[in-house]
Structures are given as C-alpha cells and as structure tokens.
Amino acid sequence: MVTAAHSRPRAHPGTPLAAIRHLGPNWYASVMGTAIIANAGVALPYDIPGLRTACAAVWALSLLMLTALLLARAAHWAHHRDQARAHLLDPAMAPFYGCLSMALLAVGGATVLVGRDWIGLDAAVALDTVLFTAGTAIGLAAAVAIPYLMVVRHKIAADQASPVWLLPVVAPMVAAALGPLLVPHLPAGQAQRTLLYACFAMFGISLLATLVMLPLIFARLVTGPPLPLALTPTVFLVLGPLGQSTTAVNKFADAAKGVLPAPYDQGFAVFAVLYGVPVLGFALMWLALATAMVVRARRAGMGFAMTWWAFTFPVGTCVTGAAGLGAHTGIAAYDWLAAALFAVLVTAWSVALVRTARGLLSGRLLAAPR
C-alpha cells in the first residue's frame, strides 16, 4: 500500500524544486527589510523631491518579493515537507516563522501609505485588509505556537538563548502599529473603536511577552559564550520591539482623534509621549551596544549571511518611532534622528540586498547549512 507521504511528488537533484530545499522562513526577513524602507521613508517630516516615488518603487519591489517567496515556500512545504517540519523543530529556525507575519503586515502597511499612488486608494485598502488580516492571524498564532514548541518540543540549554526568540512575539506589535492605518476606512463607531482597541491589546500582548524574553537574552549575552559571528547581527533585533512599540503608541494617538470619546483620545496622546520618549532612549543605547558588538565581530572575520537583514527592519521601526515622537512633541531633534536613522537604514538595506542577490545567483545562500 502506498502512503500519502510516498505518493507525494519529490524534487529531483538539479531541478528548481531541489534548489529550494533549504529555503527557510528566515527569508521573509528580506521582505520585511525592503517594505520598511517605504514605511519609514514616507514617515519622514521632510519634503524631499522624489522620495515618495522612490518609496513607492520599493513597495512594488517588496510586493514582488513577497509574492515570489510565498510561492517558493508553498512549493517547499509541498515537496520538502520533511525539511519544513525539521525547521519547526529547530529552536534556531522556528522563531523565524514570525517573519512571515511581519512580512505580510509590512507590505500591507506600505500599500496604504504609498502603494495607493500606483494602484488607487480602494485597491490599496482592499489589499492591505487581506494582508493585515492574514498577517495578524499568523502573528498571533506564532506568538503562541513557537513558545509552546520551545517549552514542550525544543531542547534548549540556557546558553542557547538568542535574540531571534523575539521574532514571534514581536509580530503582534507590528500588527498593532499598522492596524490604525485601516481605522479611517472602517464605518464610524463600533468598527473603528474595536479595531483600535484590538491593536492596543496586541500592543500589550507583545510588550509583556518581550519583557519576559529580554532578560533571558541579555543574561545569555552577559554570562554565556559570545554569539557565533554569523549570528552577531541578530542583536539588532532587540530594536524591533522598542522602535515598533514607540511607533504603535504614536499611531494610536493619531487614530484616536475623532474615534474615541474624551478623555481617552487625549489619553493616548499623553501615553505616546510618556511611553515613547524613554523607550526610544533605551533603543538608542541598545543601538550603540549592538553596533559595537557587530564592529567587533566584523573585525574577527564576520562575513555576509542572511542575518544581515537584521540591520534593516529593526532600524526602520526606530525611524518611524522617532518621526512619530517628533510630530507629537514638536522637538526637532527627533526629526533629525529619524532622518539620520533612515540614512543608516537605506545603506544597510542596499548592502543586504546586493549581497543577497549575489548569494542567490551563486547558489551559496540556498546551499545546505554546514
């Protein structure tokens, strides 16, 4: 009797299906890192000629990358299910399933922000609705399922704690920050308030889960052996929940106007500043620490790996967070900070994109891990 597993088509060596055998969920980080360019660029408070058009072009690239990767990953699950299951049982790879959620959400948010210039507002809202709904559902599922696997299936030692553990629990924060973009497009009243409060609830889910994870990660960095050189860029992932939560509270304040009754509308505006200022301050401290660690690793011989995409999305969230604080505090220093971080973001994205393209063409990035 032939089982379903044996009857499933298998990829032959040398075919495109064989080439994607080791295509993991970590590749969604490249989509996130590309889409954040558009999200961060339009958040800048400066009127730079051509910037919006460039951001729209990057959005289109991120949408193309997302579509191609979704198809490739679907083929991976269909033809390399053993490898896909192995990824879920690998404590180093499983957390990257949070990247799928964040890739969908980031592209969806960019669609409403700049994609509407090319496809129209109605189409942009419709596409974002689909991507936001799917991304939020996957993100909430990953925030529960991955920690569950870590507890009951993964075999993890104390010195194996890694910043990548943050990826599944940060996904709801990305949904919280991008959900308010859809609030104005919902019927006034219950629908708008429900979405806004749901985003606030996801803010809490992600924030508290991050506060549980961060002490474990920092304790490992302090007391454990140094991170492998290829994993050193992942220390930038800590910026993700910091910058994204700062962005979220500022988006709540923007969306609450005319949606929530007093005093809650003003309460969100106050909370945006009281929360955002100290958290972004800590993000800048961590940015300095992470940069020093990466410089040290680079001097020790750290070469390019897909982990370099950690230099993109987390920094982009700090750009949007700083821009939001600049708008709500009126302090020009936050505008300058957003512009400076955006320059860093574009530089890091350019390097990561070019090196990834080279690795794809050579086949090195899709080779079996050593």
Side-chain angles (χ1 to χ4, degrees):
M1 180 178 179
V2 179
T3 64
H6 291 153
S7 63
R8 190 181 305 121
R10 293 183 180 275
H12 297 287
T15 66
L17 290 176
I20 64 171
R21 176 166 177 77
H22 300 287
L23 181 73
N26 57 317
W27 278 79
Y28 286 110
S30 64
V31 179
M32 297 162 51
T34 300
I36 196 63
I37 297 289
N39 286 273
V42 296
L44 295 178
Y46 304 109
D47 185 14
I48 303 174
L51 177 60
R52 187 174 181 88
T53 301
C55 289
V58 173
W59 159 78
L61 175 61
S62 71
L63 181 59
L64 179 62
M65 292 170 63
L66 176 63
T67 303
L69 192 52
L70 287 173
L71 292 174
R73 286 286 298 163
H76 183 271
W77 267 98
H79 297 277
H80 301 289
R81 193 164 297 178
D82 61 322
Q83 187 69 15
R85 289 174 175 169
H87 286 160
L88 278 174
L89 297 179
D90 182 355
M93 184 62 73
F96 284 99
Y97 272 91
C99 292
L100 168 58
S101 166
M102 292 185 280
L104 294 168
L105 292 165
V107 174
T111 303
V112 168
L113 290 171
V114 293
R116 63 183 184 183
D117 295 349
W118 289 16
I119 65 175
L121 180 59
D122 291 342
V125 171
L127 179 56
D128 185 30
T129 300
V130 173
L131 294 177
F132 175 78
T133 302
T136 299
I138 293 171
L140 290 173
V144 175
I146 301 305
Y148 171 81
L149 289 174
M150 293 171 67
V151 172
V152 304
R153 295 296 299 274
H154 297 165
K155 297 179 180 180
I156 304 172
D159 63 356
Q160 291 178 310
S162 166
V164 302
W165 288 6
L166 292 172
L167 291 172
V169 299
V170 171
M173 187 67 79
V174 178
L178 294 174
L181 293 175
L182 290 173
V183 169
H185 304 287
L186 292 175
Q190 282 288 324
Q192 290 184 336
R193 291 196 295 270
T194 299
L195 178 57
L196 185 55
Y197 279 127
C199 290
F200 194 34
M202 289 189 289
F203 168 87
I205 290 171
S206 183
L207 177 64
L208 295 177
T210 298
L211 292 178
V212 170
M213 291 289 191
L214 272 180
L216 300 176
I217 294 168
F218 189 70
R220 182 260 185 270
L221 293 175
V222 173
T223 63
L227 287 173
L229 294 181
L231 290 181
T232 303
T234 63
V235 294
F236 271 71
L237 294 177
V238 176
L239 295 175
L242 302 175
Q244 197 70 83
S245 61
T246 303
T247 301
V249 294
N250 282 279
K251 294 297 184 183
F252 296 158
D254 293 336
K257 298 174 184 177
V259 172
L260 300 182
Y264 301 110
D265 55 347
Q266 292 300 315
F268 272 108
V270 173
F271 182 60
V273 175
L274 295 183
Y275 175 91
V277 170
V279 170
L280 190 62
F282 178 71
L284 293 177
M285 185 207 77
W286 190 272
L287 176 61
L289 174 63
T291 300
M293 293 176 67
V294 167
V295 169
R296 178 179 179 275
R298 185 64 172 162
R299 289 176 175 174
M302 181 188 74
F304 176 75
M306 287 298 290
T307 52
W308 280 34
W309 283 99
F311 299 140
T312 57
F313 190 85
V315 175
T317 66
C318 293
V319 174
T320 54
L325 284 178
H328 286 104
T329 63
I331 297 178
Y334 284 117
D335 297 338
W336 304 337
L337 175 62
L341 289 176
F342 184 71
V344 173
L345 169 63
V346 171
T347 301
W349 171 75
S350 301
V351 172
L353 187 67
V354 170
R355 298 294 293 272
T356 300
R358 288 178 181 173
L360 271 176
L361 292 175
S362 67
R364 183 179 68 84
L365 291 180
L366 291 177
R370 290 177 296 178

